[in-house]
Amino acid sequence: MKRVFSGIQPTGEIHIGNYLGAIRNWVKIGEQIGKEAIFCIVDYHAITIPHEAKQLPQLTFDAALANMAAGLDPNKITLFAQSHVREHVELGWVFTTQTPLGDLERMTQFKDKSEQHSILAGLLMYPVLQAADILLYKADTVPVGEDQIQHIELTREIARRFNYRFASESQPIFPEPKASIDKNAARVLGLDGAGKMSKSKGNTIGVLEPQETIWQNIRVAPTDPARVRRTDPGNPDVCVMFAYHKLFSSLENIEMVNTECRRAGIGCVDCKKLLMQGIWQELEPIQAKAAYLQDHPNEVTDALVSGADYCRGIAQDTMLEVREAIGLLPLESRRPS
Ligand code: SF4
């Protein structure tokens, strides 16, 4: 792993699925490769579906703040907003001119999203801009979830095609990045227990949500449906609360719940209160950091400015190579030789 790139949607708040499934892994990557761990808040991507222009700057800022509070330390890693490095769009355009329409229409995410939103050309081109995001920095590794593998395959294809057309075999311009799936990443179930935790399903626990709201949601969350009365023995294996215990509670408490639930030795309310303690132990320091950053917003904006400065340098070098390779007239040339 020499350089890692990952995009963060500016959806404001993050939930524990994002935190346990991605951010904790990013923090570990940052400890290994420092500044070369590049995390980008993808505001250009956010406008490929209808959005509120007045809200987007705040959402972008909030995404930076939330990720910093959850552990991304801009003194170690690189964090920036995509629109602050305009070369993303330029390389995106270059790749657009080289990508067959059929490759984009095949993308599963495009098919899904186009069922929910009116089809803007930008939605179709989303994976091309994503390829530009990654290849602009010649990243060799992209940490992703399973649903993004198809996009990384397309990125590899775009790099291959570009190298074949515009570079020599011995000196390719772009490396072919590999997708990295964190095997230890938790797949966090939603509060309803019906599937993955997801904002669109409304089944999340927000990392920055007030303690009281989290408790209200946990208090009414479903448990083992077969456990109707307090005296009924339960099965923790079918209960989402037990899945959360495994993520947040001590080994001792996990074993206790596993045993006592099966013989009705613990009631669901007490089990949930115990779970709440574990969750709050994890989230309290994150919320304290978020409150500090709310009071010191310059720390967030300064991080984004220096992140963008660092990335712009790399991006401009890449674009010099790309412009020359595809035959654009250099700005300083009056007359092509
Ligand atoms: S005791 Fe805990 S694990 Fe067992 S059914 Fe109730 S909430 Fe679920």
Side-chain angles (χ1 to χ4, degrees):
M1 236 179 358
K2 291 195 187 97
R3 183 174 286 155
V4 167
F5 180 94
S6 198
I8 299 168
Q9 287 291 343
T11 45
E13 247 213 55
I14 50 176
H15 57 68
I16 59 168
N18 307 131
Y19 174 63
L20 299 174
I23 300 172
R24 281 207 312 201
N25 181 38
W26 296 346
V27 173
K28 267 191 256 158
I29 292 170
E31 277 156 14
Q32 291 166 37
I33 60 171
K35 282 274 166 223
E36 302 313 309
I38 299 177
F39 301 102
C40 172
I41 301 164
V42 290
D43 47 357
Y44 276 137
H45 283 284
I47 62 172
T48 57
I49 53 174
H51 72 287
E52 287 297 330
K54 284 205 173 81
Q55 284 175 7
L56 187 55
Q58 188 64 46
L59 288 173
T60 304
F61 176 89
D62 289 348
L65 184 149
N67 280 274
M68 283 169 65
L72 285 190
D73 178 355
N75 294 314
K76 293 184 183 156
I77 53 91
T78 302
L79 179 69
F80 75 109
Q82 187 184 27
S83 62
H84 294 171
V85 180
R86 294 184 188 154
E87 283 76 7
H88 284 256
V89 183
E90 186 181 0
L91 187 57
W93 173 249
V94 173
F95 288 160
T96 297
T97 66
Q98 305 298 316
T99 305
L101 210 49
D103 285 7
L104 302 174
E105 286 166 338
R106 266 199 297 278
M107 292 289 121
T108 312
Q109 203 173 66
F110 167 70
K111 289 186 201 159
D112 291 348
K113 282 195 183 172
S114 57
E115 279 170 17
Q116 301 162 24
H117 306 284
S118 56
I119 306 176
L120 303 172
L123 190 59
L124 185 65
M125 296 301 158
Y126 189 111
V128 179
L129 182 57
Q130 197 176 25
D133 298 338
I134 298 162
L135 296 176
L136 196 52
Y137 303 103
K138 304 189 179 183
D140 53 48
T141 308
V142 189
V144 285
E146 299 275 354
D147 58 340
Q148 285 298 310
I149 291 202
Q150 195 186 26
H151 283 189
I152 305 306
E153 275 308 316
L154 181 69
T155 299
R156 291 166 63 82
E157 178 62 35
I158 287 173
R160 224 170 5 245
R161 196 178 286 130
F162 188 96
N163 289 334
Y164 180 74
R165 280 210 61 193
F166 300 112
S168 67
E169 211 174 312
S170 59
Q171 274 187 309
I173 290 180
F174 295 114
E176 289 183 33
K178 62 177 189 306
S180 147
I181 295 186
D182 179 15
K183 299 271 185 302
N184 299 319
R187 187 179 176 274
V188 183
L189 286 171
L191 269 168
D192 52 6
K196 210 173 148 189
M197 185 172 280
S198 143
K199 211 167 176 181
S200 61
K201 291 186 190 154
N203 61 6
T204 61
I205 296 175
V207 168
L208 301 183
E209 220 173 301
Q211 187 179 14
E212 186 51 32
T213 320
I214 297 175
W215 170 242
Q216 290 307 332
N217 290 333
I218 285 184
R219 198 175 57 82
V220 297
T223 58
D224 173 4
R227 195 172 185 199
V228 182
R229 285 174 296 269
R230 166 71 178 79
T231 48
D232 294 337
N235 178 4
D237 298 333
V238 299
C239 177
V240 66
M241 295 300 115
F242 187 58
Y244 291 167
H245 268 295
K246 289 194 213 158
L247 299 170
F248 292 103
S249 298
S250 65
L251 265 182
E252 196 187 337
N253 283 347
I254 296 168
E255 275 167 24
M256 186 276 286
V257 169
N258 196 15
T259 309
E260 295 303 321
C261 171
R262 291 177 202 278
R263 59 180 186 209
I266 185 171
C268 290
V269 176
D270 287 335
C271 177
K272 287 176 171 182
K273 282 184 182 162
L274 196 62
L275 169 65
M276 189 62 213
Q277 283 173 19
I279 291 178
W280 191 242
Q281 210 170 356
E282 186 86 24
L283 299 191
E284 192 176 23
I286 298 175
Q287 297 204 3
K289 177 79 196 238
Y292 168 84
L293 292 171
Q294 294 283 8
D295 289 343
H296 301 82
N298 283 354
E299 292 197 18
V300 179
T301 43
D302 289 354
L304 293 178
V305 168
S306 65
D309 286 347
Y310 182 69
C311 287
R312 200 174 298 111
I314 304 170
Q316 286 177 345
D317 286 348
T318 303
M319 285 317 299
L320 275 179
E321 278 184 274
V322 169
R323 286 188 207 116
E324 187 186 346
I326 63 175
L328 299 182
L329 180 67
L331 186 61
E332 66 274 17
S333 300
R334 301 273 161 91
R335 204 175 291 160
S337 57

